[in-house]
Amino acid sequence: MPAIVRILCLLLVSLLLDTARGLHNASQRTFEIDYKHNRFLKDGQPFRYISGSIHYFRVPRFYWKDRLLKMKMAGLTAVQIYVPWNFHEPQPGQYQFSEDHDVEHFIQLAHELRLFVILRPGPYICAEWEMGGLPAWLLQKKSIVLRSSDPDYLAAVDKWLGVILPKMKPLLYQNGGPIITVQVENEYGSYFACDYDYLRFLQKRFRYHLGNDVILFTTDGVQEKLLQCGTLQGLYATVDFGSGVNITNAFLIQRKFEPKGPLINSEFYTGWLDHWGQPHSTVTTEAVVSSLHDTLAHGANVNLYMFIGGTNFAYWNGANMPYQAQPTSYDYDAPLSEAGDLTKKYFAVREVIQKFQKVPEGPIPPSTPKFAYGKVALTKLKAVEESLNILCPSGPIKSLYPLTFIQVKQYFGFVLYRTTLPQDCSYPTPLSSPLSGVHDRAYVSVNGVPQGILDRNSVITLNITGNAGATLDLLVENMGRVNYGDFINDSKGLISNLTLNSSILTDWVIFPLDTEKALRHLEGWHGNNSRGHDKACVHSSSNYTLPAFYVGNFSIPSEIPDLPQDTFIKFPGWTKGQVWINGFNLGRYWPARGPQMTLFVPRHILVTSAPNTIIVLELERAPCSDNCPKLCTVEFVDKPVISAAVTYSPLLQDKWNQDSRLDHV
């Protein structure tokens, strides 16, 4: 046999042996529960995880590695992630898994950093996220019962699981990836349905797609009644609770449902969520580290929720009942700030972890530099009512009675409802939503004159004036769907009839507004100057100006090294609205309500090669107008303000404090 042939044969044999060895090693990877000794076993060896929650959908892909590395250097062995269905399937059958939506890449990054992954793919996730991660288009079926064995719901869930779970299977630990456990549903015991057929359906579909070797688990608050409805045989039951809870008693509740196996707190709260109009929530570092130490001293596995909160960009924030929307910042008072900065809490948590296991050596990535770019002047572009041909190019929908956002297939943002006054309203006449049918906030004008606001919670009647036949406009804002509890089937828009002087208003013309597409092509906006702007100044004694877009530009010098950098935008004199920079929807601002006064601006959306374009949609009252001397400005600063003093309703606060959800904080 020629020498070259012998060499090729030997190489081929070696390659085949290496391949077989690799397959053998992959097949030897195991992650399982040791019920006899109340622990996990990884590859046959005792294992305990200390994990932290990070939401890849709240952190730009540009910063994924930075945040994961900081988590690694804190001593964490794992990260816990949700997968929001609506983030990946915003329209039925239209899937998004690239760029900021590339969950597989995120998991692979964690794997490269030798972080394990605890996967929580829903289908419901809560997470203070729009509709708890469920897509709003599910509500097109009016009778649908979410999170139940309702056939329409199960059919949609089954299709989604058939998309997401096969993507996750190669990433399971047993298959060479980092995913060690997978949660089924989320805090199901806190939902009214208590539908075991639904949980059994999910269990079967998870097993079908992921196999029998992966550990499937559930998470519920530390109340027996919650675990009774939230658990199922074959799904390992875990609990969640924050500092201030009796740890021994909390784990005794877990033990009632899992007499053997590892103790697990799947959500140890490092902070808490915020609502517009309420003080910024904080949990002291001392309380967090004390409870964390005691939990680890119990030998428990723990996940810190959140380790970094991130940002509710665009329209992704959720809400709670009685209706209170969450702000754009999801800082959560976590060990890493919204902008990924190291905090006192970060280093204190690292010190506690260091007492129980080795933490990585080497430098911790520093907080990213911030830059104050200063003030930027804005000028009025157009009022919303003058821009309907751009914002709604396909034209309006006509209906005798109002249609909801779902009925016009508008899932986020804004819809303008228009009709005419059927009677003369020379004197203030009550415009009412007697069934509290404005979801969530309506900005009302008559013939281009602002009249005021109707609000889901607090203002269901507004006195208006105008002549018979005048145009009545209501710009309705979806402020975020309820993400927790029994009311997640949260319809938006005008969900019931409006009355004028007790007579039902009819003959509506409805404009679903595609702000995202319109603002990507600004050239179509120029030409016709705003005809309503003088009107706005004439009526400047009013508390309101017409909802309108404002635009400005600022340049970042390319000759200064290391620019652009992260920054924060604040809104002096502005009231409430939405802001975009270079077409990127940063989210909602509401300094008139607080506590959040600045919005985080990540550096990757800024450029030095051309002017940066800022567009503000002010909904209530702008600080300027055409023929009034005061300028409209926004300001870029290098420090966030998310905990300003607020004025809020004690009634709403009392109701929220009574919510059972707080029982397991």
Side-chain angles (χ1 to χ4, degrees), residues 399-470:
S399 177
L400 183 63
Y401 299 109
L403 301 174
T404 67
F405 275 43
I406 295 296
Q407 288 171 314
V408 299
K409 292 183 168 54
Q410 174 87 358
Y411 303 121
F412 302 99
F414 305 89
V415 172
L416 188 135
Y417 294 81
R418 173 172 285 175
T419 188
T420 55
L421 297 183
Q423 64 188 70
D424 189 69
C425 301
S426 303
Y427 297 98
T429 306
L431 173 70
S432 296
S433 173
L435 300 177
S436 296
V438 174
H439 286 199
D440 299 302
R441 202 166 169 86
Y443 307 93
V444 183
S445 64
V446 175
N447 271 3
V449 178
Q451 303 290 309
I453 293 169
L454 292 172
D455 181 271
R456 173 172 179 161
N457 271 340
S458 54
V459 185
I460 61 170
T461 298
L462 174 70
N463 286 326
I464 65 171
T465 57
N467 298 323

Side-chain angles (χ1 to χ4, degrees), residues 112-126:
E112 289 172 15
L113 294 172
R114 298 186 179 180
L115 286 164
F116 298 109
V117 172
I118 298 162
L119 183 70
R120 310 172 88 185
Y124 164 83
I125 65 168
C126 186

Side-chain angles (χ1 to χ4, degrees), residues 438-643:
V438 174
H439 286 199
D440 299 302
R441 202 166 169 86
Y443 307 93
V444 183
S445 64
V446 175
N447 271 3
V449 178
Q451 303 290 309
I453 293 169
L454 292 172
D455 181 271
R456 173 172 179 161
N457 271 340
S458 54
V459 185
I460 61 170
T461 298
L462 174 70
N463 286 326
I464 65 171
T465 57
N467 298 323
T471 298
L472 171 66
D473 281 344
L474 291 92
L475 179 64
V476 178
E477 178 187 11
N478 165 7
M479 287 180 55
R481 287 183 178 82
V482 173
N483 60 264
Y484 175 82
D486 299 348
F487 301 102
I488 55 175
N489 58 335
D490 187 13
S491 290
K492 298 299 183 182
L494 298 183
I495 69 166
S496 61
N497 286 320
L498 294 188
T499 63
L500 183 66
N501 209 13
S502 300
S503 297
I504 292 174
L505 288 169
T506 58
D507 300 316
W508 292 91
V509 182
I510 302 164
F511 298 83
L513 306 186
D514 188 349
T515 51
E516 305 310 298
K517 188 174 180 181
L519 295 179
R520 283 196 294 267
H521 304 286
L522 277 181
E523 61 273 6
W525 288 74
H526 299 290
N528 298 321
N529 273 341
S530 167
R531 57 181 170 76
H533 204 64
D534 291 342
K535 209 179 290 183
C537 196
V538 169
H539 294 277
S540 60
S541 59
S542 161
N543 287 326
Y544 304 98
T545 55
L546 282 176
F549 293 93
Y550 298 78
V551 65
N553 296 286
F554 72 102
S555 295
I556 300 174
S558 57
E559 62 271 12
I560 299 179
D562 300 326
L563 290 183
Q565 299 290 7
D566 293 348
T567 186
F568 302 91
I569 185 171
K570 64 186 294 189
F571 301 86
W574 301 82
T575 309
K576 183 186 192 303
Q578 201 83 18
V579 59
W580 294 258
I581 296 182
N582 295 333
F584 183 90
N585 191 334
L586 278 179
R588 310 175 203 268
Y589 66 89
W590 202 355
R593 184 68 59 93
Q596 181 177 5
M597 307 298 283
T598 61
L599 269 63
F600 173 53
V601 183
R603 59 176 284 195
H604 75 289
I605 69 169
L606 302 174
V607 297
T608 57
S609 57
N612 295 273
T613 301
I614 308 167
I615 296 177
V616 168
L617 170 57
E618 171 58 51
L619 297 166
E620 294 190 16
R621 183 174 175 84
C624 62
S625 57
D626 267 355
N627 56 352
C628 296
K630 189 174 180 182
L631 280 175
C632 274
T633 61
V634 294
E635 185 176 3
F636 290 97
V637 296
D638 57 9
K639 290 182 177 58
V641 181
I642 58 170
S643 56

Side-chain angles (χ1 to χ4, degrees), residues 290-308:
S290 174
S291 287
L292 177 61
H293 181 279
D294 292 349
T295 299
L296 294 175
H298 274 72
N301 299 263
V302 64
N303 173 71
L304 284 73
Y305 188 101
M306 297 292 299
F307 202 87
I308 173 173

